[in-house]
Amino acid sequence: MPAAMVIGLVLHTHHRPRFEQATRTLGGVTFAWATYEREDQIRDRVGDLLRAGHLDGLLLGLVPYARCRDLLPAGLPVTVTRSAALDLALAWSRARGNGWPATPVSIDTFAQETVDEVATALDLDRDAIACLPFDPEQPVADVVAFHRERIAATGAPYVISVRTGVAAALDGRVAVLNALATPGTIRADLHELALRVRNKKADGQRFAAGVFLIARPDRIADLDRARVGLLHLLLNTPEFADAWIDNRGRRGVVVFAHAALFESVTHHWVGLPVLAEARDTLGVRAVAGFGIGGSARLCVALAERAAARAEQDADPGAYLISDNGMMIGPMGASGVPLTYTYREHGNIEALAGRVGLSPATLSRLAAIERTLAGRPVSPSDLARTLGITDPSGRRLIRKLSESDLVVGDGSSQVHRKGRPTRLYRLAITAALEGTP
């Protein structure tokens, strides 16, 4: 029986009941809890959680993420849960239920776009709403000062806050309506995180191949010696103990394993230290290519293409090509961060510069377009796929629209209430093919 997925939760002690309510609909998952009373305890609590055992994923809020992001292991699926537009609307509903006017009011942590969206939907006076978006460098004292200043200027009977420290500091002086994420919002984030973890595990079990080549040898007579040395080096690399390793022509070695093994060996497709070891111990220049596909034949073909691409670089390195059209690299022999990630189009850098996006982002969008196979996508769905916030997803759609990289394709009405969601069809591949 497969082991249960383990998801860590980082939250304020007072919020645990709503998080526990949200976890009840998720089966096959074990939850590891890290709770804190003060924000200065967050790093210690997260450190203890990470040391306590293996985590498959981690859910935490804006403040905990800002406090401990440097502690999080590379490759750990992380979801930053945050209050949504619905949570803000519910806070305003509670204010009206208490007999308070909707405005004037001051609000912290929410993005300006979210506040504007809800205020417009509720037909509120936007000029009477003061908003202080979340800033990871801003101490609680500054957020409290912002609210106090607005209260003094407007006489507002209440404030809307997401920060527990703000509520504690203003307690007894003014009413504080919390707009914390509801169990429904947390539940949606947990389900999305669990799905990402499952997909990551499934991807890790996909068949993969690695082709290691002696790159441009000075003397043909040295090929056999160098290849044998490279073969022995890989056979004696502990990470490859369960992999199948064999010769690949006179100057190459092929390795078959699960994609997860190669991801581990390359430190999440960042660097390949074994290449540096080949240089230092064997005195040869080696490169590598990795392929992920639906069959052994396709994996090897992709790996060979990736290795051929690595040979074009001045420094020994590695590349990955997968059957969804993505190429990752270069991966340095010393484990330096990868330079960029891109789809296999020679002109993607030119298009990225014209649009004002990074080649990595444009590459991921091209791969998403290929996966969608012509189906339209909403800004929110695109944001979730990219791992960014909904407002960032809407801004990205606007930028893509300005460059004709998306085309409006109708709308979708998920719920009977509320406005329809506009849908867009990505048009990046056509632009790449037409870029001079």
Side-chain angles (χ1 to χ4, degrees):
M1 183 175 179
M5 180 190 305
V6 180
I7 291 180
L9 300 168
V10 184
L11 56 139
H12 193 279
T13 302
H14 294 165
H15 303 160
R16 181 155 179 164
R18 71 176 61 207
F19 275 78
E20 289 179 337
Q21 182 180 346
T23 62
R24 291 171 189 154
T25 62
L26 201 58
V29 178
T30 298
F31 296 98
W33 301 83
T35 59
Y36 60 91
E37 292 282 352
R38 303 186 313 275
E39 291 182 10
D40 59 7
Q41 298 173 330
I42 291 174
R43 288 183 64 84
D44 289 340
R45 299 291 189 271
V46 172
D48 292 341
L49 180 65
L50 295 173
R51 286 188 292 270
H54 171 74
L55 292 181
D56 295 303
L58 185 68
L59 182 81
L60 69 178
L62 281 168
V63 174
Y65 180 70
R67 292 271 184 159
C68 71
R69 62 184 302 175
D70 60 306
L71 301 180
L72 305 182
L76 176 67
V78 173
T79 291
V80 181
T81 189
R82 64 197 75 203
S83 299
L86 175 62
D87 304 318
L88 178 58
L90 289 174
W92 255 314
S93 177
R94 290 196 299 273
R96 288 179 166 174
N98 290 338
W100 299 328
T103 59
V105 67
S106 54
I107 303 170
D108 68 59
T109 305
F110 282 93
Q112 186 72 61
E113 292 177 345
T114 303
V115 174
D116 290 341
E117 177 184 349
V118 177
T120 300
L122 298 179
D123 195 23
L124 303 181
D125 180 5
R126 183 62 195 83
D127 294 334
I129 303 171
C131 175
L132 183 67
F134 179 73
D135 180 353
E137 304 300 327
Q138 193 166 44
V140 173
D142 288 356
V143 183
V144 173
F146 157 75
H147 285 298
R148 285 175 173 163
E149 180 182 342
R150 299 306 303 169
I151 293 168
T154 65
Y158 71 101
V159 304
I160 296 178
S161 178
V162 178
R163 306 285 290 271
T164 306
V166 171
L170 295 177
D171 185 40
R173 296 173 177 81
V174 66
V176 178
L177 291 182
N178 77 66
L180 298 168
T182 61
T185 299
I186 300 168
R187 185 180 305 117
D189 287 338
L190 274 174
H191 287 194
E192 185 273 337
L193 176 60
L195 182 61
R196 278 202 291 132
V197 170
R198 290 192 180 103
N199 288 341
K200 184 175 184 291
K201 287 186 174 183
D203 286 343
Q205 292 304 308
R206 292 189 69 194
F207 198 63
V211 170
F212 295 78
L213 297 179
I214 308 301
R216 294 196 292 270
D218 295 331
R219 291 180 299 179
I220 301 299
D222 291 337
L223 265 179
D224 289 336
R225 178 187 60 81
R227 178 183 49 77
V228 171
L230 180 60
L231 177 63
H232 287 166
L233 174 63
L234 295 175
L235 287 170
N236 289 289
T237 299
E239 291 86 350
F240 289 137
D242 296 325
W244 186 84
I245 304 174
D246 201 359
N247 294 324
R248 187 65 178 173
R250 281 198 68 194
R251 67 185 184 102
V253 177
V254 63
V255 179
F256 289 98
H258 290 139
L261 183 145
F262 291 117
E263 184 175 329
S264 174
V265 169
T266 59
H267 305 295
H268 305 285
W269 309 114
V270 170
L272 192 56
V274 71
L275 297 182
E277 193 173 349
R279 179 195 61 212
D280 297 339
T281 62
L282 303 177
V284 300
R285 180 182 185 274
V287 298
F290 303 100
I292 301 177
S295 67
R297 183 189 298 265
L298 179 57
C299 285
V300 174
L302 294 172
E304 288 178 333
R305 286 169 53 194
R309 175 63 184 85
E311 283 194 283
Q312 298 175 24
D313 292 344
D315 297 321
Y319 283 79
L320 158 74
I321 298 179
S322 67
D323 57 3
N324 68 355
M326 287 293 291
M327 180 186 281
I328 296 178
M331 304 171 215
S334 59
V336 296
L338 57 90
T339 306
Y340 50 82
T341 304
Y342 63 95
R343 194 170 187 272
E344 194 179 11
H345 283 285
N347 52 13
I348 196 163
E349 287 85 356
L351 181 60
R354 177 169 66 80
V355 176
L357 295 173
S358 69
T361 298
L362 200 60
S363 168
R364 295 183 68 191
L365 289 169
I368 291 169
E369 178 186 353
R370 181 169 179 168
T371 301
L372 289 171
R375 297 189 305 274
V377 64
S378 71
S380 295
D381 288 339
L382 185 62
R384 279 194 293 273
T385 302
L386 290 169
I388 60 178
T389 64
D390 280 2
S392 296
R394 290 192 292 270
R395 286 194 294 270
L396 178 59
I397 286 289
R398 286 197 293 270
K399 182 180 285 288
L400 294 172
S401 298
E402 293 168 358
S403 301
D404 297 323
L405 296 184
V406 293
V407 178
D409 196 1
S411 61
S412 172
Q413 184 82 26
V414 180
H415 304 289
R416 287 186 298 173
K417 295 183 179 181
R419 294 176 296 178
T421 299
R422 291 205 62 188
L423 300 176
Y424 299 87
R425 184 164 37 83
L426 295 171
I428 296 165
T429 300
L432 284 169
E433 293 171 350
T435 301

